[in-house]
Amino acid sequence: MSNVIDESGILAIATRLQRLSDTFRKDGQLIYKSFGHDFEPKWFPVVYTLDIKSQLSVVEIANEIGYTHPSTISLLKELEKLKIIHSKKDKSDERKRLISLTEKGKELVAAIKPIWDLLRKTQIEILDTKNNLMKAIEEVEEQLKISSFYDRAEKNKSLMGQKSSD
Amino acid sequence: MSNVIDESGILAIATRLQRLSDTFRKDGQLIYKSFGHDFEPKWFPVVYTLDIKSQLSVVEIANEIGYTHPSTISLLKELEKLKIIHSKKDKSDERKRLISLTEKGKELVAAIKPIWDLLRKTQIEILDTKNNLMKAIEEVEEQLKISSFYDRAEKNKSLMGQKSSD
DNA sequence: TAAAACTACGTAGTTAACTACATAAAATCA
DNA sequence: TGATTTTATGTAGTTAACTACGTAGTTTTA
């Protein structure tokens, strides 16, 4: 597919990660569809979380799934329109909206859990190569927690004969 | 950061890939800036490609960098406005626009090549863990070339006690 | 206990990719 | 060689995340 960029390797990693991500998302959607469900992969984090935790506020969900709260709100809006979730005010804190699955939502989860298993199995099959992508991601996240890309680059600057502007 | 989702592991891989991608992009931008350059990481594929191939049409660039042509066009517009690249009609094929770096563009490349080296070194440092992310990506792309996520899932359906709708 | 700071939620606008469609030039074919 | 198909480019609109900012409750503090 791409020539020069593959050779440049590591510098275009952001691009390649995103493309891979898109591929998984698109195929995921098709697989749900082939089972007769119009379930969008992007809903998974919210729905999966609510299946396990049953009732959470907007920000709690955002934290669980690792999204910003505005992104979470727009997902919740879609799911609310489809009556997969519903919300009610928290009586002890009027700022909060407590979200949970509706009956319809619970039925949906029960119906698609076997698909989640299938997706999981299939992804494991694809990802279980010599260098395991899932583990690699975890390891890289770990590395970045120790010291960010930016901080490491700052430190490495001194190794090169290059002046910085700050 | 995210709890439930990390445990659900593989199903949220698309999300995690994208977040990682964003992190690299943002820090990349900061690093360019710390050297006094307002060079956006998303420009890299185009600029790098033109440095090596010197003159290409819009679609040729799109293929080299693995983007769609509309995405490529919008990158080219930005770079053209900044006078980093310029274009001229191909005399032997009036449909084509031949793109190349301007003098300013060539000077820019000369100036940021040391940064590219720094970025490369730093990324290698981060990515060189037990499971190498770069290699993992290549291996996964290879797996998907053999058989797509969708096709594999279709095949695996038979392994489960589940009916399909098509 | 009033003011200040913080937290939860919401809206608006941005970004960087995409798909779908349109047009014009070139190549192919009947 | 005229009609059809393909190729190259461009535009419009979509998507799924983001940041920035605003408002209304809650908590802390002077």
Side-chain angles (χ1 to χ4, degrees):
Chain A
M1 192 158 294
S2 64
N3 302 326
V4 172
I5 290 308
D6 283 0
E7 283 150 30
S8 87
I10 218 157
L11 283 173
I13 196 165
T15 295
R16 296 178 71 181
L17 286 172
Q18 187 153 354
R19 233 181 300 160
L20 209 47
S21 157
D22 282 353
T23 304
F24 278 111
R25 217 190 306 262
K26 265 175 224 154
D27 277 27
Q29 194 163 359
L30 288 176
I31 293 161
Y32 285 116
K33 197 154 266 167
S34 84
F35 280 94
H37 290 285
D38 276 337
F39 188 82
E40 296 193 28
K42 68 174 166 170
W43 295 336
F44 171 77
V46 170
V47 172
Y48 181 81
T49 298
L50 286 173
D51 180 50
I52 289 175
K53 300 268 180 143
S54 70
Q55 198 177 58
L56 293 172
S57 74
V58 174
V59 170
E60 280 166 352
I61 293 173
N63 288 338
E64 283 289 341
I65 70 179
Y67 282 15
T68 59
H69 82 268
S71 308
T72 305
I73 287 170
S74 86
L75 289 173
L76 293 175
K77 268 187 188 162
E78 289 179 41
L79 291 168
E80 208 151 9
K81 194 176 276 174
L82 293 165
K83 306 225 193 280
I84 289 168
I85 61 163
H86 67 290
S87 67
K88 61 174 190 200
K89 270 225 153 17
D90 182 340
K91 294 212 174 107
S92 69
D93 186 342
E94 290 280 312
R95 294 169 305 178
K96 286 188 186 171
R97 239 175 79 198
L98 297 174
I99 317 289
S100 50
L101 292 172
T102 58
E103 272 314 305
K104 185 184 165 191
K106 284 177 194 163
E107 282 162 24
L108 175 66
V109 169
I112 63 180
K113 265 187 177 165
I115 307 179
W116 288 350
D117 285 338
L118 172 65
L119 292 174
R120 230 187 300 257
K121 255 183 237 160
T122 307
Q123 278 186 330
I124 286 170
E125 183 185 314
I126 292 168
L127 300 185
D128 189 27
T129 55
K130 231 176 292 151
N131 294 273
N132 184 290
L133 181 60
M134 203 61 210
K135 286 183 190 149
I137 290 172
E138 278 160 20
E139 286 163 8
V140 169
E141 284 173 350
E142 202 49 48
Q143 287 293 308
L144 290 175
K145 219 178 284 170
I146 295 168
S147 175
S148 75
F149 182 33
Y150 181 80
D151 289 342
R152 287 167 191 269
E154 280 298 316
K155 196 173 286 171
N156 287 343
K157 264 187 191 177
S158 49
L159 303 176
M160 56 193 286
Q162 188 70 25
K163 273 173 289 182
S164 157
S165 70
D166 58 15
Chain B
M1 190 158 295
S2 64
N3 303 323
V4 173
I5 291 309
D6 282 0
E7 284 151 29
S8 89
I10 216 157
L11 283 173
I13 196 166
T15 294
R16 295 178 72 182
L17 286 172
Q18 187 153 354
R19 234 181 300 159
L20 209 48
S21 156
D22 282 353
T23 305
F24 277 111
R25 216 192 307 263
K26 266 175 223 155
D27 277 25
Q29 193 163 359
L30 288 176
I31 293 162
Y32 285 116
K33 196 156 268 167
S34 84
F35 279 95
H37 288 286
D38 276 337
F39 188 81
E40 296 193 28
K42 67 174 168 172
W43 295 335
F44 170 77
V46 170
V47 172
Y48 181 81
T49 299
L50 285 173
D51 180 50
I52 288 175
K53 300 267 180 145
S54 71
Q55 197 176 57
L56 293 173
S57 73
V58 174
V59 169
E60 280 165 352
I61 292 173
N63 288 338
E64 283 289 342
I65 71 180
Y67 282 16
T68 59
H69 82 269
S71 308
T72 304
I73 286 170
S74 87
L75 289 173
L76 293 175
K77 269 186 188 161
E78 288 179 42
L79 292 168
E80 208 152 8
K81 193 177 277 174
L82 293 165
K83 309 225 193 277
I84 290 168
I85 61 163
H86 67 291
S87 66
K88 60 174 191 199
K89 269 227 155 11
D90 183 340
K91 295 216 172 102
S92 70
D93 185 342
E94 289 280 311
R95 295 169 305 177
K96 286 190 188 170
R97 240 176 79 200
L98 296 175
I99 317 291
S100 50
L101 292 172
T102 58
E103 272 315 304
K104 186 184 166 192
K106 283 177 195 164
E107 281 162 24
L108 175 66
V109 170
I112 63 180
K113 265 187 177 164
I115 307 179
W116 288 350
D117 284 340
L118 172 66
L119 292 174
R120 230 187 300 256
K121 257 183 234 157
T122 307
Q123 280 187 329
I124 286 170
E125 184 185 314
I126 292 168
L127 301 185
D128 190 26
T129 54
K130 230 176 292 152
N131 293 273
N132 184 288
L133 182 61
M134 203 60 209
K135 285 182 190 149
I137 290 171
E138 277 160 21
E139 287 164 7
V140 169
E141 283 172 351
E142 202 49 49
Q143 287 294 307
L144 290 175
K145 217 178 285 170
I146 294 168
S147 176
S148 74
F149 183 33
Y150 181 80
D151 288 343
R152 287 167 191 269
E154 281 297 315
K155 196 172 285 172
N156 287 345
K157 264 187 190 177
S158 48
L159 304 176
M160 57 193 287
Q162 188 69 28
K163 272 172 292 183
S164 156
S165 71
D166 59 11

